[in-house]
Amino acid sequence: MKTFPVLPLVPPQRVSLVVQTIQSLRAALAAGYWRETMPGERELCQTLEVSRPTLRAALIELQRAGELTSAARSRRCIVAKAASIHPSGRTVALISPMPLRRLAPNMVLMIDALRDHLGRSGWTTHMHVSRSCFTRHPDRALQELTARSPAATWLLITSVRPMQEWFLRHSLRCLVAGTCSEGIGLPSVDAAHHATGRHAGALLLRKGHRRITLVRSDENTGGDNESVRGFSAAIASEPSATLQVMSYRSRDHLVTLLDQTLRSDAPFTAYFVLRSLDVLTVITHLLRRNRHIPRDAAVVSRDGENFLDHVSPVVTRYAIDTERFGREISRLVRTVAETRTLNPRTIRLMPKFIAGETV
Amino acid sequence: MKTFPVLPLVPPQRVSLVVQTIQSLRAALAAGYWRETMPGERELCQTLEVSRPTLRAALIELQRAGELTSAARSRRCIVAKAASIHPSGRTVALISPMPLRRLAPNMVLMIDALRDHLGRSGWTTHMHVSRSCFTRHPDRALQELTARSPAATWLLITSVRPMQEWFLRHSLRCLVAGTCSEGIGLPSVDAAHHATGRHAGALLLRKGHRRITLVRSDENTGGDNESVRGFSAAIASEPSATLQVMSYRSRDHLVTLLDQTLRSDAPFTAYFVLRSLDVLTVITHLLRRNRHIPRDAAVVSRDGENFLDHVSPVVTRYAIDTERFGREISRLVRTVAETRTLNPRTIRLMPKFIAGETV
DNA sequence: TCATCTGGTCATGAAATCTAACCAAAAGAA
DNA sequence: TTCTTTTGGTTAGATTTCATGACCAGATGA
């Protein structure tokens, strides 16, 4: 019997990046990481941290090996059916309509806290960015996404009604970070928007304001409707008070609407703004039009981002504890993953009121 | 026994040839392939099939690790006991002076990208928040912290000179996210602050501004000095231009300084603000004092946070790619962990200029 | 004395890789 | 329908890594 001596001095192997990429892809394919079809090239580049030419070289090699089929202008298909023993065990998939950098800073903090907690418990999180899952007819996109990347639990961020309905209908394990639409019994963690709205309304009335504007986006996310209801209820308690709801499509549209309101004869003296980023727009625009804050116009922000501290004057707002938000979601994720039935529990966190100088 | 979960899609590891060579040499050394002394460099090159610069980099690294001794003009000697205290724990420890929610949003995004990338390569990150490590005499705090929580690599965020010196002195594996102080050779990833400053200066001069203010914090972090130097150099090229550097202690102090400047007879017509949060303060205060932007005063922000898009007018600024920033750091972390400060390399990323409406 | 070996250093060029575009077709949303 | 987004396909230029080959000065030994 011949024994092979272990070579004591082995020269470095010089595996090119393309080959390494092929190996990574093969391993994932063998593990059944994707079903049917591959993700787009650009997305793969991101996750593999590799440039597109490199990735394409690897993909083409796999095609030549017959493990993938190329289809012009549509996604590549997986040929060999892999032993689909994909351990979807401890994986949470986040679905967001935009990449992190487009989300509000507080949302990023929340996600970070969430990942941290889940990571400590041995979970991995995976973020999916897909615009088409948030449209009015998200069925196809959701079908494909959930089929392609199995996860123990799905976490919906800034989700809209059709999406939530889809998840409920397919009874996939999921939970909502933010507001769950009315009548849809998905477990969720949310800020207490109704209570916040009521508090803000009462505050402005107490300060003597009677002509009040609520500023909201025309997309219905983030519990805007609830805020509006809470705020309206508070304002309605004072018969002499008028409430105008300003619903804008874009930043520029908001500016236009503000100018219209400013031109009106009986001016509005208070603004309750739902999105903190738009508070910036409102405040800077009011200042630009020579309105004094808070003398000519009071401003209250429903969301409490950090940067509002640096506005002069400091913005009065309601701040949520992102750390806690993330922790609660992390807990709920684990509960949902363990229990078979969806427990439609809703956790509401009350934001902290931060008295600023804009009221 | 602890088992690590197998990650389904691991990005290629990009082991550089130098690192591969180090591994080959280590293996041979451990196997006792040579006695007392090493072969000559040229011979080793042949057997390892590697060029001399590459081999030498590997040898020097082994010297630094104390496994070989360098002898000028005679062969290298092998240190008897290969200590092999390679802290292969895949843990990165971040040190920050403040919790995430107090950091600039872009920094949070960067950290998130970093965690994501490292996580997929099987690393865990741990965040430490300690003010006392960022003081002028951080020795005790750092001693305690590093002793308490071992990590393969330390990542310093918004770090200051004494801290960096301490790490260099104790030759712990670390790298700097942000600016590495002058003369301290730690590997770092940073924005190209000097170039940005020069660009901004040239821009303002081209627009006809001659009395220009640079707004900076009195803490020296985030490459503020570099920005000042680059900006000054650009302004100095125009003899008729005046540059005032406004260094503030706090938000309120900044407001006071702004008011002083506004009262001066020959007004300053342009502001270059280093921190994006303070851009908010500057802009809102200028608006409050009825200055029109950009007619009375132009504002340029060195940092490019997203929320500046929502200011009216949209702020002209320089934005770094946080995703890329995090990726570069992630890569550097892995390099540093494998070799001890192999290459005290500084990576400079050029931010993208975003033309706004404030110039 | 002289050829040869040693580690140290440098300039140059080739290859691998990344970045950032642009294109046209297909798919999907409104 | 019309418009936007996404898809794979392609290219040019910059950057980084590594190899090649040369030179130097001291050490070594014939």
Side-chain angles (χ1 to χ4, degrees), chain B residues 83-354:
Chain B
S84 183
I85 23 168
H86 194 55
S88 61
R90 302 195 130 196
T91 309
V92 190
L94 281 69
I95 313 186
S96 158
M98 349 175 212
L100 274 186
R101 66 176 176 282
R102 307 298 312 274
L103 293 173
N106 267 354
M107 184 63 88
V108 179
L109 285 174
M110 191 276 285
I111 292 176
D112 203 79
L114 172 71
R115 281 180 154 170
D116 193 39
H117 286 128
L118 283 177
R120 269 184 292 117
S121 303
W123 288 72
T124 50
T125 47
H126 212 100
M127 179 139 176
H128 298 277
V129 178
S130 160
R131 248 200 121 57
S132 49
C133 290
F134 291 78
T135 56
R136 226 163 287 165
H137 303 288
D139 300 45
R140 251 187 53 82
L142 282 172
Q143 186 71 50
E144 196 179 323
L145 179 61
T146 53
R148 199 173 61 229
S149 48
T153 311
W154 294 85
L155 178 62
L156 318 185
I157 296 170
T158 66
S159 57
V160 287
R161 195 184 187 96
M163 187 174 181
Q164 295 169 0
E165 280 170 344
W166 188 91
F167 270 94
L168 197 63
R169 204 160 56 239
H170 290 68
S171 60
L172 281 172
R173 288 196 182 135
C174 79
L175 57 92
V176 177
T179 306
C180 185
S181 302
E182 205 162 345
I184 296 190
L186 289 176
S188 67
V189 181
D190 197 5
H193 292 304
H194 192 91
T196 307
R198 256 184 300 131
H199 186 281
L203 170 71
L204 290 176
L205 287 178
R206 202 163 57 241
K207 292 281 184 177
H209 295 281
R210 287 301 175 265
R211 292 179 58 79
I212 298 170
T213 299
L214 185 151
V215 181
R216 62 169 299 183
S217 153
D218 67 347
E219 312 164 27
N220 172 30
T221 53
D224 289 1
N225 280 343
E226 262 189 272
S227 296
V228 173
R229 271 200 297 275
F231 194 71
S232 304
I235 302 297
S237 70
E238 169 60 51
S240 65
T242 310
L243 173 63
Q244 164 189 248
V245 174
M246 184 181 284
S247 177
Y248 56 86
R249 291 188 300 273
S250 65
R251 202 196 81 111
D252 291 340
H253 186 212
L254 171 56
V255 168
T256 312
L257 290 175
L258 281 172
D259 274 335
Q260 279 176 19
T261 297
L262 288 177
R263 272 196 300 273
S264 80
D265 299 329
F268 286 82
T269 62
Y271 294 81
F272 181 48
V273 187
L274 299 196
R275 305 309 181 82
S276 54
L277 284 174
D278 300 321
V279 172
L280 282 184
T281 312
V282 170
I283 287 196
T284 50
H285 195 71
L286 287 175
L287 288 172
R288 239 178 145 182
R289 294 290 180 253
N290 293 323
R291 297 308 192 279
H292 183 275
I293 297 174
R295 201 187 54 219
D296 301 331
V299 177
V300 177
S301 168
R302 184 202 59 177
D303 288 349
E305 302 285 354
N306 260 341
F307 59 72
L308 296 182
D309 256 339
H310 293 260
V311 172
S312 164
V314 173
V315 181
T316 301
R317 61 193 189 270
Y318 297 88
I320 63 162
D321 181 342
T322 54
E323 179 75 24
R324 175 135 182 249
F325 207 108
R327 197 170 58 228
E328 294 290 354
I329 292 187
S330 154
R331 249 180 233 177
L332 207 48
V333 161
R334 289 175 336 208
T335 307
V336 167
E338 279 156 3
T339 72
R340 186 178 311 221
T341 61
L342 173 61
N343 213 352
R345 187 163 59 133
T346 292
I347 298 175
R348 292 200 177 284
L349 301 177
M350 189 64 199
K352 203 172 111 197
F353 177 70
I354 296 180

Side-chain angles (χ1 to χ4, degrees), chain A residues 75-230:
Chain A
R75 297 189 160 183
R76 288 184 170 76
C77 293
I78 299 169
V79 171
K81 255 307 187 187
S84 181
I85 40 166
H86 182 61
S88 61
R90 305 197 132 195
T91 309
V92 189
L94 281 68
I95 312 186
S96 159
M98 3 180 195
L100 273 187
R101 65 174 177 284
R102 308 296 313 272
L103 293 173
N106 266 354
M107 185 60 89
V108 178
L109 284 174
M110 191 277 284
I111 292 176
D112 204 81
L114 171 72
R115 280 181 156 170
D116 197 39
H117 283 118
L118 284 176
R120 252 188 263 275
S121 315
W123 287 71
T124 50
T125 47
H126 211 100
M127 179 138 175
H128 296 277
V129 177
S130 162
R131 249 197 122 59
S132 48
C133 290
F134 291 78
T135 56
R136 227 163 285 166
H137 303 288
D139 300 47
R140 251 189 55 80
L142 281 172
Q143 185 70 49
E144 196 180 325
L145 180 62
T146 52
R148 203 171 62 226
S149 46
T153 312
W154 294 85
L155 178 62
L156 318 185
I157 296 171
T158 65
S159 57
V160 288
R161 193 182 188 99
M163 187 174 182
Q164 296 169 0
E165 281 171 341
W166 189 91
F167 271 94
L168 197 64
R169 201 160 58 238
H170 290 68
S171 60
L172 281 173
R173 277 183 198 148
C174 79
L175 57 93
V176 177
T179 306
C180 185
S181 303
E182 204 160 347
I184 298 193
L186 288 176
S188 67
V189 181
D190 197 6
H193 292 304
H194 192 93
T196 307
R198 256 185 300 130
H199 186 280
L203 169 72
L204 289 176
L205 288 177
R206 201 163 59 242
K207 291 282 185 174
H209 294 282
R210 287 302 174 266
R211 290 178 60 78
I212 299 172
T213 300
L214 185 149
V215 181
R216 63 169 298 184
S217 154
D218 67 348
E219 313 164 27
N220 171 29
T221 54
D224 289 1
N225 281 344
E226 263 189 89
S227 295
V228 173
R229 271 199 297 275

Side-chain angles (χ1 to χ4, degrees), chain B residues 32-54:
Chain B
Y33 189 65
W34 304 290
R35 300 261 154 91
E36 312 265 330
T37 157
M38 298 284 288
E41 293 183 1
R42 288 164 180 81
E43 188 193 330
L44 268 179
C45 287
Q46 286 232 328
T47 48
L48 286 177
E49 300 166 32
V50 147
S51 75
R52 259 185 91 203
T54 307

